[in-house]
């Protein structure tokens, strides 16, 4: 706190027993696996303790999908120094998690796959780190892979730094080689064993310690947590001062507005994967505080002796929007607990408090909301989370967010697209992306695969992933990242295959599906209940096909010898929320309920739908 009257002020000095860094990388380059190895080798777990792999991915969806969705804090102790570590998401849709977490650290550990090399998200996270003046350390990970090419990847990393650096010291960074899965790091690219001490020593040497003095207390809130006993919890790094229980502080917005005043309740520090309650904390510590029930991300908790807030957390603007509306289908309410617009609004407002990468807009329709985000995955994750919480709703097709240029021209978002695939698929992939207004920028070899780089309108990527996997027989890798806003490219081709729509409601029969089996693929199976206007499959031709999916076999008193042979049907296509919102057109909705995910037409009645099409 403030130095007592008459006491000499203490000049800021480094706190040598603390370091803080974020681990950043492209998706699936090994961040969480490396954190596992650091926790084990620093003695976080007791001997014989059973610990799951990827222990930091604690969420149900994170474990199912094998990706990090939310940034999480941990801390290890090495040579009498506490190293605070933040494990960040690698997927581009969760880039806002990386942007706000960087406010808590002085350095970043950039992981790059020894085979794949730098990819779009690698550029994104490194650019954000350099813009905020964070000291980088590079670890070329997975050098134990059979197709590893660490020396080539190191050259690509140097080229990446050269393209992003704005100061000379940005080009001064150590490069280590290792394997997070095996648990070793070395300055020798040929190393095949060892431990992570070279990496830990480099962190202590290269990541600057926080500076502390006698300035009043200030902490910027970078994350929000919740406790059933303590309410909302603020997570952030103390930039100055010292704090004890019951200290009187205030929460202030970046514009200087005081939100609330209060007393600090509990104070926690991170220790391994646990939180440890402490009586006090000081500058350089990453802490969890209770006592501020209205706190939000980006606000500063401070001593009113110096009410000037720290600079707020800024994140890139969303590029995609999706309608979320009340479910009004005939099957509404069969499995969901929260159905009304009031329930949806309260849940979305709660999400916005924690997720700084999302926005919400009201529409003229009281039962409809617009959710704005970075990409389809972030919107699908929100929808899947709400579904598992008992919410029921409908989703529209994602739409890109357009802007107006200085000259009044319409601008749309463009993506940097990187594709790795076998050479035999390159022609088909280039042709498909060309149809979507994509332009090839670079083509080269990476081992036995071809790497292609494109710029493409974000609209061109909506619904492309499924087609891409078909073109490459499931072996292609597709990564993309927002690049810029550019001139609108005009109309793009729509879905090439039409929908099979149920004409009337009832229970689906095997007889009906067998009769229509040559028309396409189905999303339903015998005995499923459907309603009129529900999309039950994808037909092989363009345009919609209205079918009788519930037709029953008529009984007669005469039977052929083959009449009762069992019907053999193709298994239905299992639609997830993500694949469903990729598939639908503008006149369709995805019905999301705890017990089912269905696709439907916006206008359910076939006659009214036909009339609306004729008018348009």
């Amino acid at each position: 706190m403030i130095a007592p009257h008459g006491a000499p002020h203490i000049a800021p000095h480094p706190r040598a027993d603390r370091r803080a860094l974020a681990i950043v990388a492209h998706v699936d380059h090994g961040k969480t696996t490396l954190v596992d190895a650091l926790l084990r080798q620093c003695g976080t777990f007791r001997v014989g303790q059973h610990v799951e792999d990827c222990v930091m991915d604690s969420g149900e969806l994170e474990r199912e999908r094998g990706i990090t969705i939310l940034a999480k804090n941990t801390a290890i102790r090495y040579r009498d120094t506490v190293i605070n570590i933040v494990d960040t998401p690698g997927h581009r849709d969760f880039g806002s998690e990386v942007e706000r977490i960087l406010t808590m650290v002085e350095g970043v550990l950039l992981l790059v796959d020894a085979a794949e090399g730098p990819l779009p998200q690698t550029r994104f996270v490194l650019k954000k780190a350099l813009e905020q003046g964070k000291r980088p350390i590079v670890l070329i990970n997975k050098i134990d892979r059979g197709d590893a090419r660490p020396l080539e990847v190191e050259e690509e990393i140097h080229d990446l730094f050269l393209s992003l650096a704005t100061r000379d010291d940005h080009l001064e960074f150590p490069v280590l080689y290792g394997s997070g899965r095996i648990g070793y790091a070395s300055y020798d690219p040929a190393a095949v064993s060892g431990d992570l001490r070279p990496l830990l020593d480099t962190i202590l040497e290269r990541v600057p310690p926080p500076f502390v003095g006698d300035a009043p207390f200030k902490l910027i809130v970078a994350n929000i947590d919740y406790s059933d006993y303590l309410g909302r919890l603020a997570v952030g790094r103390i930039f100055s001062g010292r704090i004890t229980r019951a200290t009187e502080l205030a929460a202030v917005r970046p514009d200087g507005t005081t939100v609330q005043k209060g007393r600090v309740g509990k104070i926690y520090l991170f220790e391994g994967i646990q939180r440890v309650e402490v009586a006090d904390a000081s500058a350089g510590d990453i802490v969890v505080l209770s006592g501020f029930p209205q706190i939000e991300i980006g606000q500063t908790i401070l001593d009113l002796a110096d009410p000037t807030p720290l600079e707020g957390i800024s994140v890139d603007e969303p590029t995609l929007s999706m309608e979320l509306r009340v479910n009004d289908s005939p099957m509404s309410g069969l499995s969901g607990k929260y159905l009304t617009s009031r329930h949806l609004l309260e849940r979305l407002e709660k999400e916005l408090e924690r997720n700084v990468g999302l926005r919400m807009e009201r529409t003229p329709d009281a039962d409809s909301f617009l959710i704005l985000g970075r990409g389809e995955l972030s919107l699908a994750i929100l929808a899947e989370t709400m579904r598992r919480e008992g919410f029921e709703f409908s989703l529209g097709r994602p739409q890109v967010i357009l802007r107006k240029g200085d000259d009044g021209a319409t601008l749309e978002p463009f993506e940097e697209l990187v594709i790795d695939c076998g050479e035999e698929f390159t022609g088909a992939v280039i042709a498909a992306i060309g149809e979507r207004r994509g332009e090839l920028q670079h083509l080269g070899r990476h081992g036995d695969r071809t790497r292609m780089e494109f710029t493409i309108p974000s609209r061109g990527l909506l619904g492309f992933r499924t087609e891409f996997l078909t073109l490459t027989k499931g072996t292609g890798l597709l990564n993309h990242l927002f690049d810029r806003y550019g001139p609108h490219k005009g109309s793009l081709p729509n879905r090439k295959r039409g929908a099979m729509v149920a004409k009337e409601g009832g229970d689906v029969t095997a007889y009906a599906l067998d009769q229509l089996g040559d028309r396409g693929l189905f999303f339903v199976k015998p005995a499923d209940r459907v309603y009129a206007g529900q999309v039950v499959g994808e037909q092989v031709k363009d345009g919609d096909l209205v079918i009788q999916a519930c037709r029953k076999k008529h009984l007669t008193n005469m039977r052929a010898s083959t009449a009762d042979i069992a019907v053999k049907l193709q298994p239905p296509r299992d639609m997830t929320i993500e694949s469903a919102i990729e598939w639908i057109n503008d006149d369709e909705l995805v019905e999301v309920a705890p017990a089912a995910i269905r696709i439907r037409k916006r206008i359910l009645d076939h006659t009214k739908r036909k009339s609306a099409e004729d008018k348009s």
Side-chain angles (χ1 to χ4, degrees):
M1 311 303 287
I2 297 179
H5 182 69
H9 283 271
I10 304 172
H13 59 282
R15 185 178 178 185
D17 65 339
R18 291 289 187 275
R19 299 290 191 279
L21 83 158
I23 301 182
V24 297
H26 189 84
V27 64
D28 201 31
H29 278 199
K31 299 179 301 300
T32 307
T33 303
L34 177 66
V35 174
D36 283 356
L38 287 168
L39 290 169
R40 286 189 173 94
Q41 293 190 22
C42 290
T44 301
F45 308 123
R46 67 179 183 273
V47 177
Q49 179 179 353
H50 173 71
V51 181
E52 297 283 349
D53 290 337
C54 297
V55 66
M56 296 295 286
D57 285 347
S58 54
E60 183 180 355
L61 280 173
E62 291 178 318
R63 291 201 169 277
E64 286 181 13
R65 292 171 176 260
I67 61 173
T68 301
I69 296 172
L70 300 175
K72 301 176 188 66
N73 295 75
T74 186
I76 57 177
R77 187 175 293 275
Y78 177 68
R79 283 176 29 188
D80 298 326
T81 300
V82 173
I83 303 176
N84 286 294
I85 298 174
V86 187
D87 182 22
T88 63
H91 198 283
R92 48 90 66 177
D93 287 12
F94 309 109
S96 60
E97 294 283 310
V98 180
E99 292 174 274
R100 61 185 175 85
I101 286 305
L102 289 176
T103 62
M104 293 199 290
V105 301
E106 281 87 17
V108 293
L109 175 59
L110 179 68
L111 262 66
V112 182
D113 190 293
E116 296 182 3
L119 288 170
Q121 184 72 4
T122 315
R123 170 180 286 272
F124 171 79
V125 295
L126 178 60
K127 181 174 182 287
K128 293 297 180 183
L130 295 180
E131 286 175 350
Q132 297 191 28
K134 309 304 178 184
R135 295 286 293 275
I137 298 170
V138 174
L139 174 62
I140 299 177
N141 195 28
K142 303 186 183 182
I143 64 171
D144 55 318
R145 285 181 56 161
D147 56 350
R149 47 186 190 92
L151 297 181
E152 293 178 43
V153 168
E154 183 178 354
E155 289 297 322
E156 295 171 8
I157 293 170
H158 282 284
D159 291 341
L160 177 61
F161 271 84
L162 280 169
S163 67
L164 296 178
T166 56
R167 303 199 312 255
D168 289 343
D169 62 335
H170 285 166
L171 303 177
E172 299 173 1
F173 57 91
V175 178
L176 292 90
Y177 312 85
S179 168
R181 182 178 62 87
I182 299 176
Y184 72 90
S186 171
Y187 282 95
D188 179 7
V192 294
S193 62
D195 55 29
L196 292 172
R197 277 180 292 186
L199 174 60
L200 292 165
D201 291 334
T202 303
I203 292 172
L204 296 189
E205 177 186 344
R206 299 289 299 185
V207 176
F211 275 73
V212 300
D214 63 348
F217 177 85
K218 286 185 182 180
L219 172 149
I220 189 166
V221 180
N223 205 352
I224 294 290
D225 205 343
Y226 185 82
S227 165
D228 291 335
Y229 304 101
L230 302 173
R232 288 171 70 82
L233 302 172
V235 183
R237 198 195 76 175
I238 302 175
F239 278 78
S240 60
R242 189 175 185 84
I243 188 175
T244 58
R245 294 174 188 161
T247 304
E248 289 192 15
L249 299 172
V252 180
R253 294 193 181 99
D255 61 5
T257 307
T258 300
V259 178
Q260 64 178 128
K261 299 178 182 178
R263 292 180 179 271
V264 175
K266 303 285 188 179
I267 306 172
Y268 297 94
L269 294 179
F270 291 96
E271 187 172 305
I273 58 174
Q274 305 295 327
R275 293 174 181 169
V276 179
E277 185 177 352
V278 295
D280 58 64
S282 58
D285 287 326
I286 294 179
V287 297
V288 184
L289 303 179
S290 68
F292 297 88
Q294 300 171 22
I295 195 68
E296 294 183 3
I297 290 172
Q299 295 179 358
T300 302
I301 299 177
L302 49 73
D303 185 336
L304 284 174
D306 180 5
T308 306
L310 297 166
E311 186 177 350
I313 297 173
S314 61
V315 298
D316 290 343
E317 292 298 312
T319 58
L320 206 65
S321 68
M322 183 173 66
E323 180 187 13
L324 188 150
R325 60 179 299 111
V326 171
N327 181 26
D328 58 359
S329 86
M331 294 188 183
S332 173
L334 293 183
S335 60
K337 293 188 295 183
Y338 309 108
L339 315 173
T340 67
S341 59
R342 177 178 63 84
H343 286 134
L344 295 178
L345 178 61
E346 290 175 353
R347 177 60 180 85
L348 293 174
E349 288 177 338
K350 179 181 177 182
E351 182 70 20
L352 295 175
E353 292 176 355
R354 185 199 60 79
N355 193 334
V356 296
L358 289 181
R359 306 279 191 278
M360 181 186 70
E361 293 181 0
R362 302 298 298 268
T363 68
D365 184 351
D367 291 337
S368 176
F369 310 92
L370 270 186
I371 309 301
L372 287 65
R374 289 282 186 88
E376 292 167 284
L377 180 60
S378 63
L379 301 177
I381 289 291
L382 170 61
E384 178 64 24
T385 303
M386 292 175 62
R387 181 179 80 89
R388 297 185 182 198
E389 293 171 355
F391 287 85
E392 195 170 303
F393 50 89
S394 294
L395 300 173
R397 185 187 187 189
Q399 306 285 343
V400 298
I401 300 172
L402 304 177
R403 292 182 181 176
K404 289 291 184 181
D406 295 336
D407 57 355
T410 302
L411 304 179
E412 66 173 325
F414 282 73
E415 305 271 329
E416 175 189 346
L417 173 66
V418 178
I419 286 177
D420 281 352
C421 65
E423 187 175 1
E424 65 271 25
F425 307 124
T426 55
V429 169
I430 291 173
I433 293 176
E435 290 181 3
R436 295 167 175 264
R437 304 290 193 272
E439 298 178 1
L440 181 65
Q441 303 295 319
H442 175 74
L443 186 148
R445 298 283 296 178
H446 276 246
D448 59 349
R449 296 168 69 86
T450 300
R451 173 167 295 183
M452 296 171 283
E453 298 179 9
F454 300 85
T455 57
I456 184 172
S458 299
R459 289 181 299 137
L461 290 175
L462 297 178
F464 178 63
R465 187 174 297 273
T466 302
E467 180 184 348
F468 170 74
L469 291 175
T470 301
L471 289 173
T472 61
K473 298 182 179 179
T475 63
L477 297 175
L478 180 150
N479 297 283
H480 55 96
L481 186 69
F482 171 73
D483 182 23
R484 57 184 170 83
Y485 267 84
H488 195 274
K489 287 285 189 177
S491 62
L492 294 179
N494 218 333
R495 189 179 67 213
K496 294 181 179 180
R497 296 188 174 190
M500 289 193 280
V501 186
K503 186 175 183 179
E504 58 188 31
D507 293 331
V508 175
T509 64
Y511 173 74
L513 297 188
D514 182 49
Q515 297 295 308
L516 297 164
D518 60 343
R519 297 299 184 96
L521 294 170
F522 290 98
F523 304 152
V524 295
K525 61 184 184 296
D528 282 352
R529 190 160 187 80
V530 299
Y531 52 84
Q534 181 177 336
V535 176
V536 296
E538 176 188 78
Q539 73 149 330
V540 294
K541 297 179 180 179
D542 191 11
D544 293 340
L545 178 66
V546 179
I547 64 171
Q548 295 277 18
C550 305
R551 179 184 296 169
K552 297 181 180 179
K553 186 175 182 180
H554 293 295
L555 299 177
T556 68
N557 59 0
M558 297 183 65
R559 303 206 181 253
S561 60
T562 59
D564 293 318
I565 293 177
V567 174
K568 295 182 179 180
L569 300 173
Q570 291 287 337
R573 180 188 293 179
D574 186 23
M575 299 295 278
T576 63
I577 293 177
E578 191 177 355
S579 60
I581 63 176
E582 280 188 352
W583 188 86
I584 60 173
N585 276 333
D586 293 335
D587 66 334
E588 294 159 346
L589 295 170
V590 179
E591 180 184 350
V592 180
I597 297 169
R598 308 179 185 93
I599 299 175
R600 51 163 285 191
K601 289 293 183 178
R602 284 182 179 267
I603 302 174
L604 296 177
D605 184 86
H606 172 59
T607 305
K608 293 180 181 178
R609 189 166 65 247
K610 191 68 176 173
S611 298
E613 289 174 1
D614 293 339
K615 290 179 181 179
S616 61

